[in-house]
Every structure is written in C-alpha cells, then in structure tokens.
Amino acid sequence: RVWDVEFLHRAVRRARDLTNRRARAADAPQRSRLGAVDAARKMDVRAGGEAARWRVLLKYRERDLTATGTAYWECLRDERDELMEFVYVPATSMRLMPVDREDITVEVSRKMTAIGYREVRRRRRCRRYVQLCWGRQLVYYKSFDDPRIMSAETGTYYASEAAFREAEPHAREATEVLHFTPNGIAPPYSDYGVPEWIHAVLAMRGTRESEEANLHLLVNHATPSCYILVSGGKLAAGAAEKIKEWHSDNAGPHMRGRPCVIEAEAAGGTSAPLASGALGSRVRIEIKPVRDLSTEDALYQKYEEANARKIQQQYRLPDLLVGRSEETNRAQAEAVIEMAEGQVFHPRREHFDNDVMNGRVLSDKRTRFWRYCTNGPRITDPPVLVKMLYDLSMAGIVTPNEARTFLEA
C-alpha cells in the first residue's frame, strides 16, 4: 500500500538522521573549534526541523552581511563526497589567506539544459581560510569546489590521502567554506567585502559624537540656569577664575538650577552697591536666564536628522519601512511596499537563489528536476482581485471552483 511505502521511507530517513547524529557526536571532540557562545549558536542552527534550521542559517548569514559585509558557511560532505550539511561560522573569527600563486584544474558541473549537466574543466586560483578559535587554536578551510586534500591543523596541501595520513596521522582533513559578500561583489581594495553602511560611516560617527555631547550636558548639567550681568563697572578680583572653576569643577547633578554669580566693582575702583549712587559710577546688575538663549531641546537635531537620512539611503529603504512616515494611507503604503519589494528585496533574494544555490550548490549536487527559489511576500489587492474574478465568473470565462482555487493559491 501507499501508506506502507511512505512509512518505510520515513523510517529510513529517521534511521539515517540518527546515524548521522551519532557519528557527529562521536567526532565532536575533534571538530570542536568554536567558543561557548559560537557552539551554542551552532547547536541552535542544528536544533529543530529542517525548515527551522535553514531559516536560522539565513538569519545568521544576513546578520553577518549587515554588520561586517561578509559571511561564511562550512560545507560538510558525506562518504560519497556529496554536500550533506551547512554549518554557520561566525564572520568575526574568520580570516582570508592570500590567493594561491599556482592555479589548478577544477571540474565543475554546469547545467546545460533543463535536465542535463556537463562536467566543465576550469583553471582556478583558490585560497585558504583560517579561523581563530578560543584566541589560540587555528583551523584551516579550503575554498568551495577545491578538490585537493588539505590539513585542517596546518593548512598544508597533500597529493594524496595516503601522504596526508603519513605526514599527519592525527590531523583532520579540511572542509570547504562558502564565502558570501553583499550581492556577491567585493571592492578592489578588500576581498572580505564591505557592509552597505560603510559610505555613511562619517555620518554615523558624527551622530554618536552629538549624542555624547547631549548626554554630557544632560548628566552633568554644565549649563547654569542664569547669569548675573554687571554693567557700569568691572569684574572684581578673582571673578574670572571663579567662573572657570564653576564650569570645570562644579559640574554634576547637584548643579541643576544653581546660578553663576559674577562680582563687580565701580569703574572708579570703589565698591558700589546697587542702591548707592554716591560712590563712583552706578553699577547695574541684570539677571539673564540661559534657557532663553539655548535651544529648546537637544543640540544638533537637524544634523542628526540629515545623518539618519544618509544611513537610510545606503540601504535604499523608504521612510515607511523604517517607521519614519507619520501620515500614510493604504494606497501609499501598498505602493511603497511594492516598490521596495521590486527594487530592494527581490534583487537580493535573486542573487542568492541563482548565483549561490542554483548556480553552485544544486549544480554541485547535479539536481535536475528542482530549483531553489526564496518565497517573497504576496502583494495583491483583494477587492480588485475579487471583483475581477466575479466579472470573469459572471461572463462564463471561469467557473466558481476555478476562481476559488485561484484565490487560495
């Protein structure tokens, strides 16, 4: 029966998964190369079902690309040399070694027709990767599709597996690494790739400096509440030093609302109080609040607004998707989402689907009847769609069941 066949297939898959997990657990001491945090992330990637594990991998990849401009996946193969699993490798622990001086011949599978592949020979110059673990241990990797045998302990290439076992009997063979950069493009001055926000780094630094200046003023209350201005006289002895000490030594929360008093004396050199006009010239004292001269709110608000715009433009995101749009109706929101999906998000998914998954991974596995495609949001207008199907149904072009199937799809 069909039910029996499906049951047997599920049982075989469970047994195979159990065997693979036991083999990985037995080999765990030799393959341990991540710290406590990275090991927890690795376990998180492998936990749960296949769909959840794949989503976690994609999430970590996107996070590393956004923060550092580069991301890495370790490629594990089975005994038949077929891709079996991807493992997340933190981008902060990986380093690129120089490209090999000598090129090698590599056989790669290229899809020539819809269901046909062809082995193509290409000359390629590969590179090695090294991971710094625990601040001490070095683990070497080789490029994807590199057929040579390399030691994970020393990064040395060997002509055969027998020579490798003879030279390093306790070492492990290096695995491959998939290296990602934003849209697959690396600048000419760096092979690592750069994050998209790199061109707005000065704006980010300026925003941080302005925020720190505002925080300093808010915490220390370095601005007095008012000044006492004196005219018709001159500052008394030591008044200037007193003002400097007030600003340098007396900053802090206890200075909130405390005025800065300025002493003065008459122009003739004799002290003259405010109510007395007999001694020397008349001294006029005026209390001037500082709040009337300062800004109503924090400093550099327009500068920070311009910097936020510059950073947002690096990702080509509209205001609606970053929460900056205050008044937006439904028609405007749908138009903005459709524009962002067509010009920003879909090209990013298309590069990963075609160049990485279909062009390299599935071609390596010689997959013929399947192709990888990342699902995107369905942008539709339900009222317009329902009205169109209703008109088609009333005209006899489609049946109600066909219209229902179209809506469910």
Side-chain angles (χ1 to χ4, degrees):
R1 292 185 302 173
V2 177
W3 181 85
D4 295 333
V5 174
E6 293 179 354
F7 176 78
L8 291 176
H9 279 300
R10 288 197 297 269
V12 170
R13 286 197 297 268
R14 291 195 188 98
R16 183 182 59 189
D17 294 341
L18 180 60
T19 303
N20 292 335
R21 285 197 297 269
R22 288 177 177 174
R24 289 196 298 267
D27 196 36
Q30 299 180 3
R31 297 177 52 197
S32 176
R33 50 190 176 273
L34 300 178
V37 177
D38 297 335
R41 292 174 179 173
K42 188 174 179 180
M43 293 175 60
D44 186 17
V45 169
R46 291 179 173 176
E50 295 291 337
R53 178 170 56 189
W54 184 247
R55 285 194 295 267
V56 172
L57 269 174
L58 295 179
K59 180 183 69 174
Y60 287 161
R61 170 185 174 270
E62 189 66 25
R63 184 189 61 186
D64 284 352
L65 286 177
T66 303
T68 64
T70 183
Y72 304 91
W73 285 356
E74 181 186 4
C75 306
L76 302 182
R77 296 181 180 269
D78 56 11
E79 63 277 359
R80 294 176 298 177
D81 200 30
E82 294 184 359
L83 282 175
M84 178 184 65
E85 186 177 1
F86 293 117
V87 180
Y88 164 73
V89 180
T92 55
S93 63
M94 291 290 288
R95 301 294 184 269
L96 273 64
M97 299 187 67
V99 179
D100 297 339
R101 294 183 178 182
E102 299 180 358
D103 53 356
I104 61 174
T105 302
V106 179
E107 290 187 358
V108 294
S109 300
R110 288 293 177 260
K111 198 170 187 178
M112 310 305 295
T113 63
I115 59 175
Y117 282 87
R118 176 183 174 185
E119 295 294 333
V120 179
R121 290 176 174 267
R122 288 190 175 181
R123 303 292 296 179
R124 179 180 300 177
R125 298 177 65 184
C126 301
R127 73 162 69 240
R128 291 173 295 172
Y129 301 83
V130 61
Q131 184 184 22
L132 180 63
C133 304
W134 300 82
R136 303 181 304 273
Q137 183 181 2
L138 296 179
V139 179
Y140 290 89
Y141 301 87
K142 59 183 180 180
S143 301
F144 188 76
D145 286 339
D146 190 349
R148 295 175 294 179
I149 298 176
M150 189 181 77
S151 171
E153 305 293 336
T154 61
T156 305
Y157 291 108
Y158 291 93
S160 62
E161 186 173 357
F164 167 59
R165 294 303 177 189
E166 182 180 358
E168 301 182 34
H170 301 290
R172 181 179 54 85
E173 184 178 350
T175 55
E176 303 167 58
V177 160
L178 269 177
H179 181 203
F180 303 99
T181 55
N183 296 324
I185 301 175
Y189 50 84
S190 175
D191 292 333
Y192 285 94
V194 294
E196 296 174 312
W197 48 263
I198 194 65
H199 300 290
V201 65
L202 295 180
M204 299 170 63
R205 180 178 178 181
T207 301
R208 179 180 177 86
E209 294 292 340
S210 64
E211 292 288 348
E212 290 181 354
N214 287 323
L215 179 62
H216 176 76
L217 292 176
L218 181 64
V219 173
N220 295 324
H221 304 287
T223 303
S225 60
C226 64
Y227 279 104
I228 301 178
L229 306 180
V230 180
S231 60
K234 63 179 181 179
L235 290 177
E241 288 73 10
K242 184 177 180 180
I243 295 175
K244 293 180 182 179
E245 292 178 359
W246 192 98
H247 283 285
S248 60
D249 300 335
N250 297 330
H254 62 281
M255 297 300 295
R256 182 188 295 272
R258 182 175 178 179
C260 179
V261 181
I262 302 176
E263 299 178 354
E265 60 184 13
T270 308
S271 175
L274 180 63
S276 175
L279 299 176
S281 60
R282 184 180 181 86
V283 179
R284 181 183 177 187
I285 300 178
E286 180 183 2
I287 299 177
K288 189 69 174 178
V290 180
R291 295 177 181 176
D292 297 341
L293 303 178
S294 62
T295 57
E296 296 181 357
D297 201 356
L299 304 176
Y300 314 111
Q301 291 296 290
K302 293 184 179 179
Y303 175 71
E304 293 182 5
E305 180 72 19
N307 289 344
R309 289 284 184 182
K310 293 178 183 178
I311 299 172
Q312 180 182 342
Q313 290 171 0
Q314 305 306 313
Y315 295 92
R316 302 178 60 197
L317 296 178
D319 293 343
L320 179 65
L321 299 185
V322 296
R324 296 170 59 91
S325 181
E326 298 180 357
E327 297 181 2
T328 304
N329 54 35
R330 179 176 178 179
Q332 294 176 347
E334 291 178 351
V336 167
I337 294 176
E338 184 177 0
M339 184 274 296
E341 172 63 24
Q343 298 188 11
V344 180
F345 303 117
H346 178 70
R348 295 168 66 104
R349 295 196 303 266
E350 188 177 23
H351 160 71
F352 178 75
D353 296 348
N354 297 335
D355 297 348
V356 178
M357 296 303 300
N358 295 322
R360 304 186 67 180
V361 176
L362 295 187
S363 295
D364 184 86
K365 295 179 68 65
R366 302 180 65 89
T367 304
R368 296 193 298 169
F369 301 106
W370 299 89
R371 61 185 299 269
Y372 183 87
C373 181
T374 304
N375 293 329
R378 294 186 58 190
I379 303 176
T380 58
D381 192 351
V384 175
L385 183 61
V386 170
K387 185 177 183 305
M388 179 187 67
L389 292 177
Y390 176 77
D391 295 339
L392 294 176
S393 178
M394 295 300 296
I397 300 177
V398 297
T399 63
N401 289 334
E402 292 174 343
R404 186 180 297 108
T405 303
F406 184 80
L407 289 175
E408 293 177 353

